[in-house]
Amino acid sequence: MTHQLPPLPYAFDALEPYIDTLTMQIHHGKHHAAYIANLNKAIAGTPFEEMPINELLARINEVPEEIRTAVRNNGGGHSNHTLFWAIMAPNAGGAPTGALASAIDATFGSFETFKEKLTAAAINRFGSGWAWLIVKPGGALEVISTPNQDSPIMTGDTPILGIDVWEHAYYLKYQNRRPEYVANFFNVINWAQVAANFAAAQR
Ligand code: MN
């Protein structure tokens, strides 16, 4: 089994006006596809070829040194983007409900404070990377950011929401205005999926 590009779960123009159509086409069809092609090339003929992507990332330190950087960058890119497409949706945004809303309130004090923390993590990540809402092994929520395509899975955490702050995620529409992209990103967050990810991470 080699890794394959998952279809986008909505149309390329579905996230307009917040995320533009051309960005979605290039991001999914070129960037994500390239991570997968390069991952498949790196693991071809190795015992890691059949391993599910998130298990591969959790066991990144067992990957032979000569392919570890390629697996880290491209395997991270594959996993991160697979999550990313799913936690966005048209007619989304707003605020979470249910157990996730309660956990966010208990952890951060309020949804607004959480939003400020995630926004700061996204804006302050220097260069390319991601801002995340993760579940720690003990079940606690935390906002973090990672450089490049590093996944929280590589350090034993479970990402349930991620904002891609690589320039390829926003430059065509927002140019250097990352804060505006991040502010608008909250209009496309699929909280039902994030809540499902949260529930899965508790098990
Ligand atoms: Mn990306």
Side-chain angles (χ1 to χ4, degrees), residues 65-202:
E65 212 177 324
E66 60 269 24
I67 61 167
R68 195 180 305 150
T69 298
V71 171
R72 183 181 195 93
N73 291 340
N74 296 292
H78 175 30
S79 173
N80 293 344
H81 287 85
T82 300
L83 176 78
F84 186 62
W85 311 130
I87 59 88
M88 296 191 289
N91 308 310
T97 56
L100 176 59
S102 305
I104 285 175
D105 286 346
T107 305
F108 303 101
S110 69
F111 179 65
E112 282 311 310
T113 308
F114 157 73
K115 228 176 128 170
E116 285 165 19
K117 279 196 190 316
L118 187 63
T119 297
I123 291 174
N124 297 329
R125 163 52 52 192
F126 184 76
S128 297
W130 292 75
W132 302 102
L133 177 61
I134 60 164
V135 178
K136 304 290 292 177
L141 287 176
E142 196 175 316
V143 166
I144 63 163
S145 79
T146 58
N148 305 311
Q149 292 296 354
D150 284 3
S151 162
I153 297 168
M154 294 169 185
T155 46
D157 300 318
T158 305
I160 63 171
L161 165 63
I163 307 180
D164 187 344
V165 296
W166 282 58
E167 285 186 342
H168 69 223
Y170 64 87
Y171 205 85
L172 293 178
K173 183 177 174 70
Y174 297 97
Q175 293 84 49
N176 63 326
R177 304 186 307 278
R178 188 192 288 185
E180 193 183 327
Y181 158 69
V182 172
N184 275 338
F185 190 83
F186 284 91
N187 294 311
V188 299
I189 295 177
N190 179 356
W191 284 110
Q193 182 62 51
V194 180
N197 296 342
F198 177 64
Q202 310 285 310

